[in-house]
Amino acid sequence: MSGVCLMADLEARISTLQGQLPEDLTRQELKVRLVALLAAEMGVQEYVAEEAVEAWAATHLRDGEERG
């Protein structure tokens, strides 16, 4: 699987996972939980999951923004 396809798959999975997490998590807590879940569920290295979560957060969350 190419890197671009992998990142697209990971970002799609992140969107699903974030909907399953508590609404009151801070941005950083959300990112940490998503990295752990993504690495475990998708079987990717933690650094790959972290890059995907950072890319997702950059387009889906603003600095200091809470979810909800």
Side-chain angles (χ1 to χ4, degrees):
M1 179 181 290
S2 77
V4 173
C5 289
L6 175 61
M7 290 302 273
D9 286 348
L10 293 173
E11 286 193 40
R13 187 68 186 127
I14 289 167
S15 291
T16 301
L17 290 171
Q18 67 91 23
Q20 300 170 5
L21 294 172
E23 290 290 324
D24 61 346
L25 294 176
T26 66
R27 178 186 167 111
Q28 188 59 38
E29 290 169 331
L30 176 64
K31 287 166 49 177
V32 168
R33 298 269 298 267
L34 286 171
V35 167
L37 287 169
L38 199 59
E41 287 194 15
M42 300 283 293
V44 295
Q45 297 288 329
E46 191 168 308
Y47 76 91
V48 173
E50 193 169 318
E51 285 182 26
V53 169
E54 286 296 334
W56 175 86
T59 59
H60 290 82
L61 298 175
R62 289 185 296 265
D63 286 337
E65 179 183 19
E66 298 292 328
R67 291 187 315 150

mmCIF file with all atom_site columns, all heavy atoms in Angstrom, residues 13-23 30 34 56 67:
data_model
loop_
_atom_site.group_PDB
_atom_site.id
_atom_site.type_symbol
_atom_site.label_atom_id
_atom_site.label_alt_id
_atom_site.label_comp_id
_atom_site.label_asym_id
_atom_site.label_entity_id
_atom_site.label_seq_id
_atom_site.pdbx_PDB_ins_code
_atom_site.Cartn_x
_atom_site.Cartn_y
_atom_site.Cartn_z
_atom_site.occupancy
_atom_site.B_iso_or_equiv
_atom_site.pdbx_formal_charge
_atom_site.auth_seq_id
_atom_site.auth_comp_id
_atom_site.auth_asym_id
_atom_site.auth_atom_id
_atom_site.pdbx_PDB_model_num
ATOM 1   N N   . ARG A 1 13 ? -10.109 6.305  9.410  1.00 0.00 ? 13 ARG A N   1
ATOM 2   C CA  . ARG A 1 13 ? -10.326 5.553  10.659 1.00 0.00 ? 13 ARG A CA  1
ATOM 3   C C   . ARG A 1 13 ? -10.332 6.485  11.862 1.00 0.00 ? 13 ARG A C   1
ATOM 4   O O   . ARG A 1 13 ? -11.112 6.311  12.794 1.00 0.00 ? 13 ARG A O   1
ATOM 5   C CB  . ARG A 1 13 ? -9.238  4.481  10.807 1.00 0.00 ? 13 ARG A CB  1
ATOM 6   C CG  . ARG A 1 13 ? -9.464  3.552  11.962 1.00 0.00 ? 13 ARG A CG  1
ATOM 7   C CD  . ARG A 1 13 ? -10.696 2.664  11.731 1.00 0.00 ? 13 ARG A CD  1
ATOM 8   N NE  . ARG A 1 13 ? -10.948 1.897  12.915 1.00 0.00 ? 13 ARG A NE  1
ATOM 9   C CZ  . ARG A 1 13 ? -12.120 1.856  13.542 1.00 0.00 ? 13 ARG A CZ  1
ATOM 10  N NH1 . ARG A 1 13 ? -13.159 2.497  13.070 1.00 0.00 ? 13 ARG A NH1 1
ATOM 11  N NH2 . ARG A 1 13 ? -12.274 1.157  14.629 1.00 0.00 ? 13 ARG A NH2 1
ATOM 12  N N   . ILE A 1 14 ? -9.487  7.509  11.836 1.00 0.00 ? 14 ILE A N   1
ATOM 13  C CA  . ILE A 1 14 ? -9.434  8.477  12.935 1.00 0.00 ? 14 ILE A CA  1
ATOM 14  C C   . ILE A 1 14 ? -10.793 9.151  13.097 1.00 0.00 ? 14 ILE A C   1
ATOM 15  O O   . ILE A 1 14 ? -11.280 9.309  14.220 1.00 0.00 ? 14 ILE A O   1
ATOM 16  C CB  . ILE A 1 14 ? -8.344  9.543  12.677 1.00 0.00 ? 14 ILE A CB  1
ATOM 17  C CG1 . ILE A 1 14 ? -6.959  8.918  12.823 1.00 0.00 ? 14 ILE A CG1 1
ATOM 18  C CG2 . ILE A 1 14 ? -8.496  10.721 13.640 1.00 0.00 ? 14 ILE A CG2 1
ATOM 19  C CD1 . ILE A 1 14 ? -5.837  9.795  12.283 1.00 0.00 ? 14 ILE A CD1 1
ATOM 20  N N   . SER A 1 15 ? -11.403 9.537  12.003 1.00 0.00 ? 15 SER A N   1
ATOM 21  C CA  . SER A 1 15 ? -12.705 10.197 12.077 1.00 0.00 ? 15 SER A CA  1
ATOM 22  C C   . SER A 1 15 ? -13.731 9.311  12.767 1.00 0.00 ? 15 SER A C   1
ATOM 23  O O   . SER A 1 15 ? -14.546 9.789  13.545 1.00 0.00 ? 15 SER A O   1
ATOM 24  C CB  . SER A 1 15 ? -13.187 10.586 10.680 1.00 0.00 ? 15 SER A CB  1
ATOM 25  O OG  . SER A 1 15 ? -12.371 11.614 10.163 1.00 0.00 ? 15 SER A OG  1
ATOM 26  N N   . THR A 1 16 ? -13.683 8.026  12.488 1.00 0.00 ? 16 THR A N   1
ATOM 27  C CA  . THR A 1 16 ? -14.591 7.082  13.136 1.00 0.00 ? 16 THR A CA  1
ATOM 28  C C   . THR A 1 16 ? -14.247 6.936  14.615 1.00 0.00 ? 16 THR A C   1
ATOM 29  O O   . THR A 1 16 ? -15.127 6.986  15.475 1.00 0.00 ? 16 THR A O   1
ATOM 30  C CB  . THR A 1 16 ? -14.514 5.705  12.447 1.00 0.00 ? 16 THR A CB  1
ATOM 31  O OG1 . THR A 1 16 ? -14.869 5.864  11.082 1.00 0.00 ? 16 THR A OG1 1
ATOM 32  C CG2 . THR A 1 16 ? -15.449 4.703  13.101 1.00 0.00 ? 16 THR A CG2 1
ATOM 33  N N   . LEU A 1 17 ? -12.974 6.760  14.918 1.00 0.00 ? 17 LEU A N   1
ATOM 34  C CA  . LEU A 1 17 ? -12.552 6.569  16.308 1.00 0.00 ? 17 LEU A CA  1
ATOM 35  C C   . LEU A 1 17 ? -12.862 7.765  17.183 1.00 0.00 ? 17 LEU A C   1
ATOM 36  O O   . LEU A 1 17 ? -13.299 7.614  18.322 1.00 0.00 ? 17 LEU A O   1
ATOM 37  C CB  . LEU A 1 17 ? -11.046 6.276  16.371 1.00 0.00 ? 17 LEU A CB  1
ATOM 38  C CG  . LEU A 1 17 ? -10.588 4.924  15.847 1.00 0.00 ? 17 LEU A CG  1
ATOM 39  C CD1 . LEU A 1 17 ? -9.064  4.881  15.781 1.00 0.00 ? 17 LEU A CD1 1
ATOM 40  C CD2 . LEU A 1 17 ? -11.109 3.802  16.734 1.00 0.00 ? 17 LEU A CD2 1
ATOM 41  N N   . GLN A 1 18 ? -12.642 8.976  16.673 1.00 0.00 ? 18 GLN A N   1
ATOM 42  C CA  . GLN A 1 18 ? -12.845 10.157 17.505 1.00 0.00 ? 18 GLN A CA  1
ATOM 43  C C   . GLN A 1 18 ? -14.303 10.285 17.925 1.00 0.00 ? 18 GLN A C   1
ATOM 44  O O   . GLN A 1 18 ? -14.604 10.808 18.976 1.00 0.00 ? 18 GLN A O   1
ATOM 45  C CB  . GLN A 1 18 ? -12.317 11.423 16.840 1.00 0.00 ? 18 GLN A CB  1
ATOM 46  C CG  . GLN A 1 18 ? -13.040 11.863 15.605 1.00 0.00 ? 18 GLN A CG  1
ATOM 47  C CD  . GLN A 1 18 ? -14.172 12.838 15.875 1.00 0.00 ? 18 GLN A CD  1
ATOM 48  O OE1 . GLN A 1 18 ? -14.192 13.508 16.883 1.00 0.00 ? 18 GLN A OE1 1
ATOM 49  N NE2 . GLN A 1 18 ? -15.101 12.892 14.960 1.00 0.00 ? 18 GLN A NE2 1
ATOM 50  N N   . GLY A 1 19 ? -15.220 9.783  17.130 1.00 0.00 ? 19 GLY A N   1
ATOM 51  C CA  . GLY A 1 19 ? -16.635 9.811  17.484 1.00 0.00 ? 19 GLY A CA  1
ATOM 52  C C   . GLY A 1 19 ? -16.983 8.864  18.611 1.00 0.00 ? 19 GLY A C   1
ATOM 53  O O   . GLY A 1 19 ? -18.038 8.978  19.229 1.00 0.00 ? 19 GLY A O   1
ATOM 54  N N   . GLN A 1 20 ? -16.084 7.929  18.911 1.00 0.00 ? 20 GLN A N   1
ATOM 55  C CA  . GLN A 1 20 ? -16.316 6.946  19.961 1.00 0.00 ? 20 GLN A CA  1
ATOM 56  C C   . GLN A 1 20 ? -15.681 7.350  21.292 1.00 0.00 ? 20 GLN A C   1
ATOM 57  O O   . GLN A 1 20 ? -15.876 6.676  22.290 1.00 0.00 ? 20 GLN A O   1
ATOM 58  C CB  . GLN A 1 20 ? -15.764 5.587  19.531 1.00 0.00 ? 20 GLN A CB  1
ATOM 59  C CG  . GLN A 1 20 ? -16.403 5.047  18.276 1.00 0.00 ? 20 GLN A CG  1
ATOM 60  C CD  . GLN A 1 20 ? -15.692 3.818  17.728 1.00 0.00 ? 20 GLN A CD  1
ATOM 61  O OE1 . GLN A 1 20 ? -14.773 3.288  18.319 1.00 0.00 ? 20 GLN A OE1 1
ATOM 62  N NE2 . GLN A 1 20 ? -16.125 3.373  16.569 1.00 0.00 ? 20 GLN A NE2 1
ATOM 63  N N   . LEU A 1 21 ? -14.939 8.445  21.292 1.00 0.00 ? 21 LEU A N   1
ATOM 64  C CA  . LEU A 1 21 ? -14.259 8.891  22.498 1.00 0.00 ? 21 LEU A CA  1
ATOM 65  C C   . LEU A 1 21 ? -15.085 9.946  23.218 1.00 0.00 ? 21 LEU A C   1
ATOM 66  O O   . LEU A 1 21 ? -15.911 10.620 22.609 1.00 0.00 ? 21 LEU A O   1
ATOM 67  C CB  . LEU A 1 21 ? -12.876 9.443  22.146 1.00 0.00 ? 21 LEU A CB  1
ATOM 68  C CG  . LEU A 1 21 ? -11.884 8.414  21.598 1.00 0.00 ? 21 LEU A CG  1
ATOM 69  C CD1 . LEU A 1 21 ? -10.623 9.106  21.113 1.00 0.00 ? 21 LEU A CD1 1
ATOM 70  C CD2 . LEU A 1 21 ? -11.555 7.371  22.634 1.00 0.00 ? 21 LEU A CD2 1
ATOM 71  N N   . PRO A 1 22 ? -14.856 10.107 24.522 1.00 0.00 ? 22 PRO A N   1
ATOM 72  C CA  . PRO A 1 22 ? -15.617 11.108 25.286 1.00 0.00 ? 22 PRO A CA  1
ATOM 73  C C   . PRO A 1 22 ? -15.468 12.508 24.700 1.00 0.00 ? 22 PRO A C   1
ATOM 74  O O   . PRO A 1 22 ? -14.409 12.874 24.189 1.00 0.00 ? 22 PRO A O   1
ATOM 75  C CB  . PRO A 1 22 ? -14.982 11.048 26.685 1.00 0.00 ? 22 PRO A CB  1
ATOM 76  C CG  . PRO A 1 22 ? -14.321 9.712  26.760 1.00 0.00 ? 22 PRO A CG  1
ATOM 77  C CD  . PRO A 1 22 ? -13.903 9.382  25.353 1.00 0.00 ? 22 PRO A CD  1
ATOM 78  N N   . GLU A 1 23 ? -16.529 13.283 24.783 1.00 0.00 ? 23 GLU A N   1
ATOM 79  C CA  . GLU A 1 23 ? -16.549 14.634 24.216 1.00 0.00 ? 23 GLU A CA  1
ATOM 80  C C   . GLU A 1 23 ? -15.684 15.625 24.983 1.00 0.00 ? 23 GLU A C   1
ATOM 81  O O   . GLU A 1 23 ? -15.289 16.638 24.440 1.00 0.00 ? 23 GLU A O   1
ATOM 82  C CB  . GLU A 1 23 ? -17.989 15.161 24.179 1.00 0.00 ? 23 GLU A CB  1
ATOM 83  C CG  . GLU A 1 23 ? -18.864 14.462 23.173 1.00 0.00 ? 23 GLU A CG  1
ATOM 84  C CD  . GLU A 1 23 ? -18.497 14.798 21.739 1.00 0.00 ? 23 GLU A CD  1
ATOM 85  O OE1 . GLU A 1 23 ? -18.112 15.942 21.472 1.00 0.00 ? 23 GLU A OE1 1
ATOM 86  O OE2 . GLU A 1 23 ? -18.609 13.910 20.892 1.00 0.00 ? 23 GLU A OE2 1
ATOM 87  N N   . LEU A 1 30 ? -7.145  13.865 23.258 1.00 0.00 ? 30 LEU A N   1
ATOM 88  C CA  . LEU A 1 30 ? -7.759  13.230 22.095 1.00 0.00 ? 30 LEU A CA  1
ATOM 89  C C   . LEU A 1 30 ? -6.690  12.658 21.173 1.00 0.00 ? 30 LEU A C   1
ATOM 90  O O   . LEU A 1 30 ? -6.775  11.514 20.731 1.00 0.00 ? 30 LEU A O   1
ATOM 91  C CB  . LEU A 1 30 ? -8.625  14.244 21.338 1.00 0.00 ? 30 LEU A CB  1
ATOM 92  C CG  . LEU A 1 30 ? -9.256  13.762 20.035 1.00 0.00 ? 30 LEU A CG  1
ATOM 93  C CD1 . LEU A 1 30 ? -10.257 12.640 20.296 1.00 0.00 ? 30 LEU A CD1 1
ATOM 94  C CD2 . LEU A 1 30 ? -9.935  14.918 19.311 1.00 0.00 ? 30 LEU A CD2 1
ATOM 95  N N   . LEU A 1 34 ? -6.154  8.742  20.268 1.00 0.00 ? 34 LEU A N   1
ATOM 96  C CA  . LEU A 1 34 ? -6.286  8.325  18.872 1.00 0.00 ? 34 LEU A CA  1
ATOM 97  C C   . LEU A 1 34 ? -5.033  7.613  18.379 1.00 0.00 ? 34 LEU A C   1
ATOM 98  O O   . LEU A 1 34 ? -5.135  6.615  17.650 1.00 0.00 ? 34 LEU A O   1
ATOM 99  C CB  . LEU A 1 34 ? -6.604  9.522  17.979 1.00 0.00 ? 34 LEU A CB  1
ATOM 100 C CG  . LEU A 1 34 ? -8.019  10.076 18.079 1.00 0.00 ? 34 LEU A CG  1
ATOM 101 C CD1 . LEU A 1 34 ? -8.139  11.391 17.323 1.00 0.00 ? 34 LEU A CD1 1
ATOM 102 C CD2 . LEU A 1 34 ? -9.030  9.068  17.569 1.00 0.00 ? 34 LEU A CD2 1
ATOM 103 N N   . TRP A 1 56 ? -4.561  14.769 10.651 1.00 0.00 ? 56 TRP A N   1
ATOM 104 C CA  . TRP A 1 56 ? -6.007  14.860 10.846 1.00 0.00 ? 56 TRP A CA  1
ATOM 105 C C   . TRP A 1 56 ? -6.358  16.043 11.736 1.00 0.00 ? 56 TRP A C   1
ATOM 106 O O   . TRP A 1 56 ? -7.262  16.833 11.426 1.00 0.00 ? 56 TRP A O   1
ATOM 107 C CB  . TRP A 1 56 ? -6.530  13.554 11.453 1.00 0.00 ? 56 TRP A CB  1
ATOM 108 C CG  . TRP A 1 56 ? -7.983  13.604 11.798 1.00 0.00 ? 56 TRP A CG  1
ATOM 109 C CD1 . TRP A 1 56 ? -9.030  13.341 10.962 1.00 0.00 ? 56 TRP A CD1 1
ATOM 110 C CD2 . TRP A 1 56 ? -8.560  13.953 13.052 1.00 0.00 ? 56 TRP A CD2 1
ATOM 111 N NE1 . TRP A 1 56 ? -10.212 13.500 11.624 1.00 0.00 ? 56 TRP A NE1 1
ATOM 112 C CE2 . TRP A 1 56 ? -9.950  13.871 12.910 1.00 0.00 ? 56 TRP A CE2 1
ATOM 113 C CE3 . TRP A 1 56 ? -8.025  14.313 14.279 1.00 0.00 ? 56 TRP A CE3 1
ATOM 114 C CZ2 . TRP A 1 56 ? -10.827 14.148 13.954 1.00 0.00 ? 56 TRP A CZ2 1
ATOM 115 C CZ3 . TRP A 1 56 ? -8.892  14.594 15.324 1.00 0.00 ? 56 TRP A CZ3 1
ATOM 116 C CH2 . TRP A 1 56 ? -10.278 14.509 15.156 1.00 0.00 ? 56 TRP A CH2 1
ATOM 117 N N   . ARG A 1 67 ? -13.638 19.593 21.526 1.00 0.00 ? 67 ARG A N   1
ATOM 118 C CA  . ARG A 1 67 ? -14.612 18.971 20.639 1.00 0.00 ? 67 ARG A CA  1
ATOM 119 C C   . ARG A 1 67 ? -16.016 19.268 21.154 1.00 0.00 ? 67 ARG A C   1
ATOM 120 O O   . ARG A 1 67 ? -16.211 19.622 22.290 1.00 0.00 ? 67 ARG A O   1
ATOM 121 C CB  . ARG A 1 67 ? -14.414 17.453 20.629 1.00 0.00 ? 67 ARG A CB  1
ATOM 122 C CG  . ARG A 1 67 ? -13.153 17.048 19.961 1.00 0.00 ? 67 ARG A CG  1
ATOM 123 C CD  . ARG A 1 67 ? -13.049 15.568 19.807 1.00 0.00 ? 67 ARG A CD  1
ATOM 124 N NE  . ARG A 1 67 ? -13.435 14.875 21.013 1.00 0.00 ? 67 ARG A NE  1
ATOM 125 C CZ  . ARG A 1 67 ? -13.972 13.675 21.040 1.00 0.00 ? 67 ARG A CZ  1
ATOM 126 N NH1 . ARG A 1 67 ? -14.192 13.033 19.948 1.00 0.00 ? 67 ARG A NH1 1
ATOM 127 N NH2 . ARG A 1 67 ? -14.283 13.099 22.161 1.00 0.00 ? 67 ARG A NH2 1
#
